[in-house]
Amino acid sequence: WDVRPDILVTSKGVAGGYFPLGVVAARHEDVELVRVRLGDFNHGGTFSHHAVGAAAALATLEIVRREALVDNADRMGRLLGRRLRERLGENHNVGDIRGRGLFWALELVQDRAGKTPFPAAERVAGRVGERAFASGLIIYTSQGCADGLNGDLVMVGPPLIIDDSQVELLVDMLGLAVEEALGAPQAALPG
């Protein structure tokens, strides 16, 4: 994305899920500036500097580099977005398809033209999630996205190792789940 942050804060996946680890990374010149002005750059804590966590993180970073997973996420993310738009972009109940990299979402609405949210009582995202799960696809579901109560969203976040055929399968399974939960596919209204 051509971003060069001054400070990067991350956790969770940085050790590949094998060890709970969080990381704060800063540019050397910024660390030195703080050290010179304050006399120290204390960044420790009770569980800091853990050798196993550091080893897990280094191994994870090496795998990410060696297997070109960032490049794969870029390629597969573009494919995923394109295929989601092709498969569901004209569906009357899909208000928006948005995402970046390998994290994409579908906004589910009563009508595409007005983007009227479904009432919370209809559990639309939950129903789509249940249909997807029954077919073997795990998705994220969210409700209250329109006004804190109403408005449904379903999201996919496949692993960085996904390939073309798996993207196609994911899109087909998600498309079927949406259609089964909301009825037969409908073309968007003109306008």
Side-chain angles (χ1 to χ4, degrees), residues 33-51:
L33 180 66
V34 171
R35 189 188 62 75
V36 168
R37 288 199 178 171
L38 300 178
D40 190 9
F41 189 81
N42 187 341
H43 59 286
T46 304
F47 298 106
S48 69
H49 306 86
H50 200 288

Side-chain angles (χ1 to χ4, degrees), residues 72 75-77 79-80 82-83 102 137 158-159 161-174:
N72 191 62
R75 281 190 313 278
M76 293 300 105
L79 174 62
L80 178 57
R82 185 173 72 247
R83 290 294 295 123
L102 282 173
L137 177 64
I161 60 171
I162 194 168
D163 65 26
D164 297 59
S165 65
Q166 293 165 332
V167 167
E168 296 298 331
L169 181 61
L170 181 157
V171 170
D172 287 341
M173 293 170 82
L174 182 58

Side-chain angles (χ1 to χ4, degrees), residues 130 152 163:
E130 290 162 4
D152 295 271
D163 65 26

